[in-house]
Amino acid sequence: MLNLIKRIFGPKPKDKALNPLEALFAEAMRDPGKRGGFYAALLEADLYVGGSFRGPGEADLQFYDVDGEKVLPVFSDVGRLQRVLGPQAAWLKFKGRDILQTLRDRKPLVLNPFSEFGREFDEAELAEILEKY
């Protein structure tokens, strides 16, 4: 997979962790042995996506088309979402497990684009996280 974060949102600015999930992300990047803790926390965390509700149990999520591939930016903080998508962007909050199950085997997810606390996950990684954690 090409580096979608760079292709969509450009270089990452220097940043500080805004919440415990981002602190775990930083630890997991320094020490691969801590990735399981990050993945487990990711599934339980509140995550934010651009979009709106259509009705009970139905949402329109804001995907981006990158060379014909649909990508969903997901954020661990509303402020991060607003910096990337704009201060007036409509957004929805989901538990990590719910948004990962929604995307499972279908679309890549980009966590915290344009941040040092972000990376892309392909469909296989999403499925593995859901199965193991």
Side-chain angles (χ1 to χ4, degrees):
M1 175 190 291
L2 298 170
N3 189 332
L4 297 175
I5 292 173
K6 286 183 182 174
R7 292 177 54 213
I8 298 171
F9 300 105
K12 300 176 196 175
K14 290 291 179 192
D15 219 342
K16 292 184 179 183
L18 299 178
N19 54 49
L21 180 66
E22 292 178 3
L24 285 171
F25 175 87
E27 288 178 28
M29 293 301 102
R30 286 190 299 273
D31 179 358
K34 295 186 178 184
R35 288 185 182 163
F38 166 71
Y39 294 147
L42 178 66
L43 292 174
E44 299 307 317
D46 288 334
L47 298 177
Y48 306 89
V49 298
S52 59
F53 282 114
R54 275 190 274 159
E58 295 185 30
D60 285 322
L61 304 179
Q62 188 174 350
F63 288 89
Y64 288 82
D65 185 38
V66 179
D67 295 337
E69 184 171 28
K70 296 288 185 194
V71 177
L72 181 66
V74 176
F75 302 86
S76 59
D77 180 82
V78 173
R80 289 197 190 285
L81 178 144
Q82 291 173 331
R83 278 193 296 275
V84 174
L85 303 183
Q88 302 303 319
W91 54 268
L92 302 169
K93 178 172 81 170
F94 294 94
K95 284 295 182 190
R97 184 175 306 279
D98 295 335
I99 197 71
L100 268 65
Q101 285 176 334
T102 298
L103 296 175
R104 185 181 187 148
D105 300 326
R106 294 191 299 174
K107 303 203 175 16
L109 173 148
V110 179
L111 176 67
N112 290 330
F114 207 39
S115 164
E116 289 201 31
F117 302 95
R119 68 174 294 255
E120 56 197 78
F121 296 87
D122 64 24
E123 299 88 355
E125 287 176 294
L126 297 177
E128 183 178 346
I129 292 167
L130 285 165
E131 288 170 17
K132 287 187 176 180
Y133 304 97

